[in-house]
């Protein structure tokens, strides 16, 4: 059997918690990383027991990432799955955006996956059964939105980081990008005002399947990407969006 350890950054809330749960139920020992919300991490630990361990980490800190990876490798060996899901979102008009807001988002959303993958990839090369890196992107990687130049740029960079890593880490490590559309999370409900019937109707009118997706459907897609059914798939983006973004 290949190594059954999985590392999931941003793995204790929202979509990330659904990804951690699915990997745990597939038999992986999940190391779910969080930055600040210990209460959410504790809830996940209570639910999954010894199938998960949580770790506090700022993925934007390269020294902290290196130390974290060293500890994981020493205790568990190389993970066969790495999910780069952690991210930040600090909106604001371009002309008013501070340099700090630019760097915080780029550091978390783009540099973080670079640091994590660089820290783990040397040990993942040559794993029996291969290994898989999944970067969680965003539809704004190609279709921009107002007041999000930092976020959009970071996710566009992540999409191309995915492709470059797929080239360089093949054939041992497959690298793909999992892109959520309108998935039912607290952040999405607030941003798109889905509690407002008019706003919700306008949103659903843009989605051919006429519904909002669930975090469980993101977990379904992850299960496919890390499984044997996707063993010939690398450097690709998988968009889970009900048909909203057809590109």
């Amino acid at each position: 059997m290949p190594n059954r350890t999985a590392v999931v950054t941003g793995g204790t809330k929202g979509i990330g918690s659904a990804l951690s749960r699915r990997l745990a139920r597939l038999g992986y020992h999940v190391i779910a990383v969080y930055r600040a919300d210990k209460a959410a991490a504790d809830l996940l630990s209570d639910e999954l027991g010894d199938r998960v361990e949580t770790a506090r980490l700022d993925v934007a800190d390269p020294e902290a990432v290196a130390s974290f990876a060293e500890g994981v490798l020493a205790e568990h060996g190389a993970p066969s799955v790495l999910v780069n899901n952690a991210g930040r979102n600090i909106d604001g008009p371009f002309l008013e955006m501070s340099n700090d807001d630019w760097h915080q988002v780029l550091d978390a959303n783009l540099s973080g996956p670079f640091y994590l993958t660089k820290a783990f990839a040397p040990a993942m090369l040559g794993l029996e059964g291969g290994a898989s890196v999944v970067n969680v992107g965003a539809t704004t990687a190609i279709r921009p939105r107002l007041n999000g130049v930092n976020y959009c740029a970071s996710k566009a960079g992540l999409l191309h980081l995915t492709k470059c890593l797929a080239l360089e880490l093949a054939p041992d490590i497959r690298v793909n990008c999992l892109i959520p559309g309108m998935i039912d999370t607290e952040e999405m409900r607030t941003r798109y005002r889905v509690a407002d019937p008019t706003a919700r109707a306008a949103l659903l009118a843009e989605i051919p399947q006429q519904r909002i997706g669930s975090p469980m459907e993101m977990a379904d897609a992850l299960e496919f990407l890390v499984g044997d059914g996707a063993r010939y798939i690398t450097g690709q983006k998988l968009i889970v969006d009900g048909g909203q973004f057809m590109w």
Side-chain angles (χ1 to χ4, degrees), residues 216-234:
M216 192 66 67
E217 287 168 309
M218 288 293 292
D220 292 339
L222 177 72
E223 180 175 348
F224 167 69
L225 284 178
V226 304
D228 286 343
R231 60 188 175 273
Y232 199 51
I233 297 175
T234 193

Side-chain angles (χ1 to χ4, degrees), residues 189 192-205 212:
R189 290 192 295 270
Y192 294 97
R193 300 182 294 114
V194 296
D196 180 334
T198 301
R200 182 181 180 89
L203 177 63
L204 294 181
I212 294 168

Side-chain angles (χ1 to χ4, degrees), residues 16-225:
S17 65
L19 304 183
S20 294
R21 289 185 181 95
R22 179 59 58 86
L23 289 168
R25 287 163 188 163
L26 288 172
Y28 290 89
H29 177 73
V30 178
I31 302 167
V33 173
Y34 70 99
R35 184 176 65 89
D37 193 341
K38 187 176 185 303
D42 289 343
L43 284 174
L44 189 70
S45 293
D46 291 343
E47 176 187 344
L48 297 180
D50 60 7
R51 290 177 294 174
V52 67
E53 62 183 274
T54 60
R56 189 167 190 165
L57 174 68
D58 181 358
V59 300
D61 181 340
E63 293 184 0
V65 168
S67 178
F68 164 74
E70 183 178 349
V72 171
L73 294 172
E75 185 171 353
H76 301 286
S80 55
V81 172
L82 169 62
V83 181
N84 289 308
N85 174 66
R88 298 201 69 182
N89 192 356
I90 306 174
D91 284 354
F94 167 65
L95 293 177
E96 299 173 15
M97 184 171 290
S98 69
N99 291 344
D100 186 57
D101 286 349
W102 169 264
H103 285 293
Q104 282 195 58
V105 171
L106 267 290
D107 287 348
N109 298 1
L110 183 55
S111 296
F114 171 83
Y115 298 146
L116 265 295
T117 307
K118 188 176 182 182
F120 282 112
M124 295 167 73
L125 291 167
L127 276 179
E128 181 186 354
S132 180
V133 174
V134 177
N135 296 321
V136 178
T139 55
T140 50
I142 293 180
R143 183 184 293 182
R145 60 173 169 79
L146 290 172
N147 300 325
V149 63
N150 49 2
Y151 187 81
C152 296
S154 71
K155 291 300 186 178
L158 183 63
L159 186 56
H160 284 277
L161 176 69
T162 298
K163 296 175 183 180
C164 291
L165 293 180
L167 284 172
E168 294 203 32
L169 299 178
D172 290 351
I173 304 174
R174 297 183 300 105
V175 187
N176 291 291
C177 193
L178 179 58
I179 298 180
M182 296 300 168
I183 302 298
D184 188 19
T185 64
E186 181 180 349
E187 194 268 342
M188 190 281 294
R189 290 192 295 270
T190 300
R191 176 181 295 278
Y192 294 97
R193 300 182 294 114
V194 296
D196 180 334
T198 301
R200 182 181 180 89
L203 177 63
L204 294 181
E206 298 179 358
I207 304 173
Q209 287 198 336
Q210 297 183 16
R211 66 178 179 85
I212 294 168
S214 72
M216 192 66 67
E217 287 168 309
M218 288 293 292
D220 292 339
L222 177 72
E223 180 175 348
F224 167 69
L225 284 178

